Amino acid sequence: MNRRDLIRKLGMATAGMALAPYAKGMNPFLGPVLDFTRADFGKDFLWGVATAAYQIEGAWDRDGKGPSVWDTFSHRRGKIHNNENGDVSCDFYGRFATDIPFVKQMNMDVFRFSTAWARILPNGTGQVNQKGIDFYHRVIDTCLENGVQPWPTLYHWDIPQALEDKGGWQNRDVVGWFSEYADLVTRTYGDKVKNWMVLNEPMAFTAIGYLLGVHAPGKQWPKNFLPTVHHATLCQAEGGRIIRRNVPGANVGTTFSCSSAEPVNGNKVHREAVKRLDVLFNRLYIEPPQGLGYPIDDLPMLRKLENWIQPGDMEKVKFDFDFYGLQNYTRSVIKGNGIIPFVKGSPMQPKNLKPRPEITEMNWEVHPMGIYKMLKYFAKYPGIKNIIVTENGASFPDKVENARVHDVQRTRFYQDYLREVLRAKREGVNVNGYFCWTLLDNFEWAEGYDTRFGLVHVDFETQERVMKDSGLWFKEFLAD
Ligand code: BGC
């Protein structure tokens, strides 16, 4: 039995346990009676869903769009589970007008999406694709017509292939390329859109794409990874400055992956490994904008970043973001291990934890307290004034039965994580929004289409949509 089957089996078993209360007469699909309401979060707290262009749009070569690294990478055999790709995905490009209303139906305020760089600038710079520009005008207008706030992210991992051919994120010129794109996008939509994010999870796209080689463009080793870190950090701040310059009254943010790193036990070897991995998981990208520099002392391999840092750069990486987007799914229990280069430790497989936790289809531990810990962690930085949870969610096996998807595990996941968000808020953390990952089942990067995160189920053969019970739960929870 392979890893995926094993996880699926485990998932079913846990779903079975979750259904047990049904026998006692409780509603199995909406979970137990909740101990909190929407009102507890305050009337200004924002609720939304997050998405990303490459994962939902499809239309990879339609209407003048140029190829991105993800088009190239997913077309290479053996890179993606089942050799799947985002060519069609859930065809948001053709269906946005009927998909965005789901956000409204769930009584949510915000639709977070990303603009595809190569749809707007097919070669990355220079010639503008008017049809691409028009598409995002229609997306934004549809949001506004539905009373939903559009929250675009400038970059969610899909650098144009034409720029990757010139070195992509490894080439310092990316700062100029990205600035041209950011300037164009914010000038184009800035009169209608006030809330912006610069990058989606720079740690994920630089490390998984240029260190581990599991995501596009599939490169490996620190020599490829380190320049991308510095260039992404420069773009993160430069993008912030461009938005602020072009959009009067903008609310400027950017997003970060994070995961509470905890030692498997109190032994020094594990605690030391936690310090090093915490740099990679949590600190590397959030500290430079605050003027704290790179956390080199706790991970000396980062000293090599100096090869790419030019005079004046550590001023340029600073930017006073209006909000930090916190994206959390799980925690990392760390075991020290001298064999592993540089970090000398690694996260444990959740199945080896005791007691064995609930595990999602991504092989991630369900650990609601992890989001509480990360909210407290971010809030300790004086430079972080305002936090929005810009992604949180889970992939579990789903089944359509009589036009319903009873996704008990996902619904409970959301309830349990939200309870922890509220706990942090009540303890004074300035967290002011929560966006679910994600609206629609979609292309989950290297995992392809098997891992479903949506609040709305998508049949990829027919493109039929069904709101899952988790979506219906949000609808009820958020109703006035
Ligand atoms: C990314 C999403 C991704 C999700 C689940 C986040 O790190 O921003 O694009 O689908 O995690 O893996």
Side-chain angles (χ1 to χ4, degrees):
M1 187 185 298
N2 65 26
R3 181 183 75 92
R4 196 174 296 270
D5 292 338
L6 199 72
I7 292 165
R8 182 162 295 126
K9 276 233 150 77
L10 252 178
M12 297 309 256
T14 332
M17 269 150 48
L19 280 169
Y22 190 38
K24 299 192 191 116
M26 285 171 67
N27 180 342
F29 304 130
L30 298 181
V33 176
L34 274 187
D35 47 357
F36 58 87
T37 66
R38 174 182 190 156
D40 291 322
F41 290 82
K43 67 175 179 10
D44 296 328
F45 194 88
L46 288 166
W47 298 88
V49 286
T51 63
Y54 186 72
Q55 293 181 272
I56 59 170
E57 285 179 3
W60 76 283
D61 62 350
R62 280 235 309 268
D63 293 341
K65 180 182 165 291
S68 79
V69 279
W70 270 96
D71 294 310
T72 312
F73 187 72
S74 64
H75 291 161
R76 279 164 63 189
R77 280 199 77 72
K79 295 296 171 195
I80 311 291
H81 177 63
N82 287 335
N83 288 313
E84 288 159 343
N85 58 52
D87 289 6
V88 178
S89 187
C90 38
D91 185 29
F92 180 79
Y93 191 77
R95 293 166 197 264
F96 66 92
T98 44
D99 283 339
I100 291 171
F102 284 124
V103 184
K104 181 80 200 146
Q105 281 171 37
M106 289 187 287
N107 291 311
M108 291 189 175
D109 314 298
V110 169
F111 179 58
R112 176 179 172 225
F113 62 99
S114 74
T115 45
W117 190 340
R119 199 177 285 293
I120 290 177
L121 292 163
N123 301 310
T125 58
Q127 203 203 328
V128 176
N129 179 29
Q130 190 55 43
K131 287 194 171 156
I133 297 271
D134 295 346
F135 171 63
Y136 295 109
H137 268 303
R138 292 198 297 274
V139 167
I140 291 164
D141 292 344
T142 306
C143 286
L144 298 174
E145 283 154 19
N146 279 277
V148 168
Q149 299 175 27
W151 283 53
T153 308
L154 290 171
Y155 184 74
H156 201 128
W157 306 359
D158 48 355
I159 190 168
Q161 183 60 42
L163 300 181
E164 180 58 31
D165 293 343
K166 298 180 193 164
W169 287 97
Q170 292 170 278
N171 184 340
R172 189 178 171 102
D173 288 349
V174 72
V175 182
W177 304 331
F178 182 71
S179 298
E180 178 181 334
Y181 162 64
D183 182 61
L184 172 66
V185 173
T186 52
R187 274 190 295 105
T188 305
Y189 307 113
D191 56 340
K192 303 195 248 191
V193 174
K194 295 297 164 203
N195 302 285
W196 291 86
M197 283 150 285
V198 183
L199 301 181
N200 184 73
E201 299 189 350
M203 188 62 210
F205 75 79
T206 55
I208 312 178
Y210 293 84
L211 180 65
L212 304 176
V214 173
H215 280 185
K219 294 189 176 164
Q220 280 173 308
W221 313 122
K223 71 170 181 357
N224 289 318
F225 166 63
L226 288 172
T228 68
V229 170
H230 186 54
H231 301 149
T233 307
L234 283 165
C235 286
Q236 178 172 264
E238 196 51 33
R241 279 186 284 275
I242 291 167
I243 298 167
R244 198 161 278 159
R245 185 185 71 214
N246 287 348
V247 185
N251 183 29
V252 188
T254 191
T255 78
F256 305 91
S257 48
C258 66
S259 157
S260 164
E262 302 166 18
V264 60
N265 61 41
N267 290 351
K268 189 156 174 237
V269 61
H270 307 310
R271 284 188 283 117
E272 294 292 317
V274 163
K275 266 200 208 154
R276 291 183 289 272
L277 282 160
D278 188 43
V279 167
L280 287 186
F281 293 163
N282 302 314
R283 298 174 56 198
L284 184 55
Y285 285 96
I286 62 173
E287 295 194 356
Q290 300 179 64
L292 301 172
Y294 289 114
I296 289 171
D297 290 348
D298 287 321
L299 187 57
M301 69 147 339
L302 294 178
R303 212 171 292 287
K304 291 222 175 79
L305 279 171
E306 281 161 9
N307 294 338
W308 290 278
I309 300 175
Q310 295 184 3
D313 276 6
M314 295 319 289
E315 275 304 305
K316 290 190 189 149
V317 297
K318 291 187 199 167
F319 184 73
D320 186 20
F321 284 104
D322 296 313
F323 70 92
Y324 277 61
L326 181 156
Q327 313 205 145
N328 177 260
Y329 291 85
T330 185
R331 71 163 166 173
S332 307
V333 178
I334 307 291
K335 225 176 177 172
N337 179 352
I339 290 173
I340 297 172
F342 308 112
V343 285
K344 297 188 172 40
S346 63
M348 288 175 65
Q349 283 291 321
K351 67 172 194 283
N352 296 332
L353 297 176
K354 294 198 172 68
R356 194 186 178 109
E358 185 182 6
I359 300 171
T360 73
E361 287 253 288
M362 295 294 282
N363 195 22
W364 293 341
E365 178 191 2
V366 175
H367 189 71
M369 202 198 288
I371 201 165
Y372 164 84
K373 287 187 181 158
M374 291 318 300
L375 283 162
K376 299 285 263 196
Y377 184 111
F378 272 42
K380 274 203 190 124
Y381 287 97
I384 299 184
K385 296 174 289 196
N386 176 16
I387 305 170
I388 304 233
V389 176
T390 38
E391 282 185 25
N392 173 235
S395 166
F396 291 112
D398 291 325
K399 218 161 78 208
V400 185
E401 286 166 316
N402 304 321
R404 290 287 296 267
V405 178
H406 301 308
D407 56 339
V408 183
Q409 279 180 287
R410 186 176 294 101
T411 307
R412 193 152 295 168
F413 176 98
Y414 277 119
Q415 295 169 346
D416 292 344
Y417 273 68
L418 278 173
R419 187 177 292 108
E420 293 294 318
V421 173
L422 182 58
R423 176 152 77 106
K425 190 168 175 63
R426 282 185 169 143
E427 290 175 16
V429 172
N430 198 23
V431 50
N432 294 303
Y434 177 93
F435 305 166
C436 301
W437 184 266
T438 180
L439 178 62
L440 304 158
D441 291 336
N442 62 43
F443 178 77
E444 178 49 41
W445 309 113
E447 304 294 326
Y449 290 100
D450 271 9
T451 38
R452 293 172 177 268
F453 277 88
L455 294 173
V456 174
H457 183 276
V458 175
D459 178 327
F460 294 106
E461 300 280 307
T462 61
Q463 292 293 352
E464 204 178 314
R465 272 73 164 145
V466 171
M467 194 180 287
K468 300 179 192 177
D469 281 2
S470 51
L472 294 170
W473 177 76
F474 269 104
K475 177 180 174 176
E476 220 170 89
F477 175 70
L478 297 177
D480 266 342

